[in-house]
Amino acid sequence: MAFDGITIAALAQELNDTLAGGRIAKIAQPENDELLLTIKTPGGQKKLCISASASLPLIYLTDDNKPSPMTAPGFCMLLRKHIGNGRILSVRQPSLERVLFFDIEHLDEMGDLCKKILIAEIMGKHSNIIFCDDKSRIIDSIKHVSAQMSSVREVLPGREYFIPETTKKEDPLHADRELFIQTLSSSSFPLSKALYTGFTGISPVVAEEICYLSGLESRMTARDMTEEMFLHLYKQFSYYMEQISSLEFSPAIYYDKNEPKEFSALPLTHFSNYRKESFDSISRVIRTFYSSRETLTRIRQKSADLRHVVQTALERNRKKYELQAKQLKDTENREQYKVYGELLHTYGYSLEPGAKSLTALNYYTNEEITIPLDEHLTPSENAQRFFSRYNKQKRTFEALTERIKETLDDIHYLESISTSLDIASAEEDLTQIKEELTEAGYIRRRYSKQKVRITSKPFHYISSDGFHMYVGKNNLQNEELTFHFASGNDWWFHAKKVPGSHVIVKSNGEELPDRTFEEAGRLAAYYSKSRGAEKAEIDYIEKKHVKKPAGGRPGFVIYHTNYSLIIDSDISGIEEVKE
């Protein structure tokens, strides 16, 4: 994730525009390594979260409150004493370092105007929040770093504050062409790595973007480059830095399907295969990105048990199907035994006692056929043996045909639940899937007085032409949408021959435009096993022609006179209604 110097630069601009001139009304320390400042500004009350967590350091504006400990930690009390009711003069970033300085003006105990600096360092496991006086001398920090812990810099009261230079990097905002070429030429790393190891504040993803904009392969090294290549790369590098200097930020999150893959303060054109969502605030980007990833991680963890249940049942049924198919194949010759018995009844009178075979004309095919015999049995007994074998295999065939159908139904049903787990976007969705598995007998129900509360709802979209489109997240919702929510003249969509969601388009008695058919088809492709495929075949039909088979499982339907369309699964331009 690109929480680099460029993201910090966008944050510095946003926080300076939003908080400068504001007064610090509250200071809380909800976690050992986190501050929550409440700031009264001309634009209203704002909350600023600063986290120096080693695993996930962040800075962002938020609307959320967090519970604080009953007794405030010492660092929090110190800040309240010094800068409580203090006024934020500015928020600034040195060069492109992952550091923010909050210049704060306040009155001391004597009523004199003083200045302090609150410093937030977002440096991975070395992140810290440091409080300094106007001479850059450390008053205290949220994490103390002694000489035994770091040979680079002590962070202790009384020490002078400075930004550690663990690696010699150049300032990209002030790098001229000569310094740029010299920095890259002195590196033996591939071009992309040479950029982010040679210049402050550039992350690997931004280095890839600069190479991409230049049309150069990021894996090539400086020794492979011509002078013209260096000049072209420098031109793109300078253009990128100019956007930062002129504060032309355009925050966005890039999604792979529903999963947020990356965020950035400037465009990432080499992510053209990902869906881009733009924002007007880098704080909103950070909140949305990390909360989405946290939600996805939590859902994956919580769905692990359900996936295990489904996968175990799937594997068991697939093995059962293979065994049944093999047994069914063994019954392929059953009709031949029937013919053997009938021919023996017809021609058996001519056999000599002890004969081992009979060659006779098969009157079904007009061809000669040789029938193997048990020499110890009479022709009539041999015929009876063949009829017994035929009847046994016929019964086996009929029973297996029915069982295979049941097994395939189980496999298709479990695959549909597996797709529902892929679609699930909230814990409520998992609750409904668990209830479905319980009703189907795959999970043993635990009896309790409290009834399971289902709050999950279908996805709701609006087509470009204003028609409401609904997408079931699981079989129970598919059942509800198709057979209880939809009217007869509404349109029903589903990916052909693969597990997926039912999509209902409310027609309101009107004729749907072609664009709405296409958008509904994309939704049906996206919310199915065909997601990500270049093309998917979608069946669609008026709901009144969709029927539920007798005894069918939830969400299973039959239809005959459908239409079809071939469409991709890109839904980036379709408006979702958040409910």
Side-chain angles (χ1 to χ4, degrees):
M1 274 43 81
F3 211 107
D4 55 12
I6 299 172
T7 299
I8 298 292
L11 266 173
Q13 179 210 7
E14 180 176 297
L15 297 180
N16 193 62
D17 291 347
T18 306
L19 304 180
R23 290 201 174 273
I24 301 173
K26 293 180 183 177
I27 302 173
Q29 190 174 339
E31 305 289 346
N32 290 334
D33 49 12
E34 182 177 290
L35 289 179
L36 184 63
L37 307 182
T38 303
I39 302 155
K40 291 184 177 179
T41 73
Q45 185 170 281
K46 307 293 180 183
K47 291 187 178 69
L48 176 67
C49 179
I50 307 175
S51 172
S53 165
S55 58
L56 188 59
L58 296 172
I59 307 177
Y60 57 92
L61 292 170
T62 181
D63 299 321
D64 300 328
N65 271 321
K66 291 188 176 183
S68 298
M70 294 293 291
T71 303
F75 185 66
C76 179
M77 294 297 290
L78 177 74
L79 293 181
R80 289 175 180 176
K81 174 185 175 182
H82 283 275
I83 58 173
N85 203 39
R87 187 166 69 94
I88 297 177
L89 300 175
S90 64
V91 183
R92 54 191 171 90
Q93 176 194 29
S95 183
L96 270 188
E97 296 285 355
R98 290 177 294 167
V99 180
L100 281 179
F101 286 12
F102 294 83
D103 297 316
I104 302 169
E105 186 179 69
H106 70 103
L107 296 175
D108 64 10
E109 295 172 346
M110 303 297 294
D112 295 329
L113 202 59
C114 299
K115 181 182 172 186
K116 297 290 191 300
I117 307 169
L118 186 66
I119 303 170
E121 297 184 336
I122 307 299
M123 299 178 176
K125 65 180 181 180
H126 304 296
S127 299
N128 209 339
I129 303 172
I130 305 170
F131 185 50
C132 297
D133 63 17
D134 58 348
K135 306 295 185 185
S136 293
R137 191 166 297 279
I138 298 173
I139 299 173
D140 206 350
S141 60
I142 207 163
K143 297 177 185 176
H144 287 181
V145 181
S146 64
Q148 288 75 28
M149 298 168 65
S150 171
S151 60
V152 176
R153 179 188 65 166
E154 286 185 309
V155 182
L156 295 170
R159 302 290 192 270
E160 185 177 349
Y161 173 81
F162 63 91
I163 298 173
E165 291 189 13
T166 53
T167 57
K168 176 63 177 173
K169 290 188 177 184
E170 304 295 340
D171 181 353
L173 297 176
H174 300 97
D176 58 19
R177 185 173 67 183
E178 183 179 346
L179 177 60
F180 177 79
I181 295 175
Q182 179 185 336
T183 301
L184 293 186
S185 299
S186 62
S187 173
S188 59
F189 292 133
L191 198 53
S192 172
K193 190 172 182 178
L195 280 167
Y196 69 75
T197 56
F199 294 95
T200 301
I202 295 179
S203 63
V205 71
V206 169
E208 284 287 342
E209 173 68 10
I210 293 170
C211 293
Y212 178 82
L213 291 172
S214 308
L216 298 175
E217 176 56 58
S218 61
R219 289 174 292 185
M220 68 189 304
T221 58
R223 63 173 176 271
D224 301 321
M225 296 177 61
T226 63
E227 184 177 352
E228 184 180 355
M229 288 178 178
F230 270 120
L231 294 176
H232 190 57
L233 181 63
Y234 176 68
K235 181 179 178 181
Q236 293 299 331
F237 176 84
S238 299
Y239 172 70
Y240 211 80
M241 294 304 121
E242 283 171 14
Q243 292 180 81
I244 301 169
S245 299
S246 57
L247 306 179
E248 297 174 8
F249 299 110
S250 50
I253 299 176
Y254 295 84
Y255 291 87
D256 181 9
K257 299 174 183 174
N258 262 1
E259 182 176 355
K261 297 298 289 185
E262 189 62 86
F263 72 87
S264 178
L266 290 174
L268 299 175
T269 55
H270 71 288
F271 278 178
S272 57
N273 290 334
Y274 291 161
R275 175 170 63 88
K276 177 183 177 182
E277 184 178 356
S278 298
F279 292 79
D280 57 2
S281 160
I282 190 67
S283 285
R284 280 190 60 210
V285 163
I286 294 167
R287 287 202 314 269
T288 304
F289 182 86
Y290 285 105
S291 65
S292 298
R293 288 191 69 86
E294 182 183 2
T295 299
L296 279 172
T297 301
R298 190 169 62 250
I299 288 173
R300 282 174 181 160
Q301 291 170 345
K302 288 184 174 291
S303 69
D305 289 343
L306 297 180
R307 288 184 185 278
H308 178 71
V309 169
V310 172
Q311 198 57 38
T312 301
L314 260 176
E315 289 174 3
R316 185 167 57 246
N317 277 282
R318 284 169 178 160
K319 287 178 181 177
K320 185 198 297 184
Y321 172 74
E322 289 177 7
L323 180 61
Q324 290 172 340
K326 184 179 178 182
Q327 291 172 336
L328 189 67
K329 188 174 178 63
D330 293 338
T331 68
E332 287 179 349
N333 295 327
R334 64 189 180 281
E335 293 296 330
Q336 186 181 46
Y337 296 127
K338 181 182 177 183
V339 171
Y340 284 175
E342 291 177 349
L343 292 178
L344 274 169
H345 273 319
T346 304
Y347 302 112
Y349 67 90
S350 62
L351 280 171
E352 295 287 337
K356 295 182 178 180
S357 65
L358 168 67
T359 300
L361 178 69
N362 183 351
Y363 42 71
Y364 289 107
T365 62
N366 279 330
E367 295 177 354
E368 275 201 346
I369 186 172
T370 300
I371 303 171
L373 302 173
D374 185 337
E375 59 191 279
H376 303 293
L377 302 177
T378 66
S380 178
E381 289 171 336
N382 269 299
Q384 192 58 44
R385 182 168 63 95
F386 285 126
F387 282 132
S388 296
R389 190 175 297 178
Y390 162 72
N391 287 324
K392 181 180 179 181
Q393 290 198 358
K394 181 185 176 184
R395 290 193 299 271
T396 301
F397 172 79
E398 291 171 348
L400 280 173
T401 301
E402 185 62 30
R403 287 176 191 167
I404 283 177
K405 182 180 179 302
E406 292 172 358
T407 303
L408 283 175
D409 285 346
D410 287 342
I411 290 172
H412 294 153
Y413 178 68
L414 289 163
E415 285 176 343
S416 73
I417 294 182
S418 179
T419 301
S420 298
L421 287 168
D422 293 338
I423 292 171
S425 58
E427 292 181 47
E428 295 80 9
D429 303 337
L430 299 180
T431 301
Q432 193 165 26
I433 293 170
K434 183 178 181 180
E435 180 63 18
E436 181 181 350
L437 286 168
T438 303
E439 290 179 4
Y442 291 103
I443 295 177
R444 183 178 299 174
R445 186 180 295 280
R446 294 180 180 177
Y447 289 96
S448 65
K449 294 181 180 179
Q450 192 171 7
K451 190 176 179 181
V452 176
R453 186 165 173 261
I454 305 297
T455 58
S456 175
K457 294 181 179 180
F459 294 111
H460 182 189
Y461 291 85
I462 296 182
S463 75
S464 302
D465 301 293
F467 289 89
H468 291 265
M469 303 181 290
Y470 298 86
V471 184
K473 294 178 179 177
N474 52 60
N475 291 317
L476 296 179
Q477 287 187 13
N478 288 337
E479 180 91 1
E480 177 69 23
L481 275 178
T482 301
F483 296 111
H484 301 283
F485 176 76
S487 302
N489 292 326
D490 294 337
W491 285 86
W492 180 92
F493 293 74
H494 194 280
K496 191 178 187 70
K497 293 183 178 179
V498 295
S501 297
H502 294 197
V503 177
I504 294 294
V505 181
K506 299 294 289 182
S507 66
N508 302 318
E510 301 176 33
E511 186 174 338
L512 298 188
D514 290 344
R515 182 165 55 178
T516 296
F517 279 107
E518 291 172 2
E519 290 175 348
R522 286 193 174 94
L523 288 173
Y526 183 80
Y527 290 107
S528 76
K529 280 291 185 185
S530 296
R531 180 189 292 190
E534 289 186 10
K535 299 293 179 184
E537 186 173 359
I538 306 300
D539 286 346
Y540 63 100
I541 191 173
E542 282 185 300
K543 181 267 167 186
K544 60 188 174 186
H545 299 299
V546 180
K547 308 297 179 187
K548 183 175 177 63
R553 294 178 182 271
F556 278 49
V557 302
I558 54 174
Y559 52 93
H560 302 291
T561 56
N562 63 284
Y563 305 94
S564 292
L565 62 86
I566 306 293
I567 200 83
D568 59 69
S569 58
D570 179 13
I571 65 168
S572 55
I574 306 175
E575 179 187 352
E576 183 178 1
V577 179
K578 300 292 187 181
E579 298 178 348

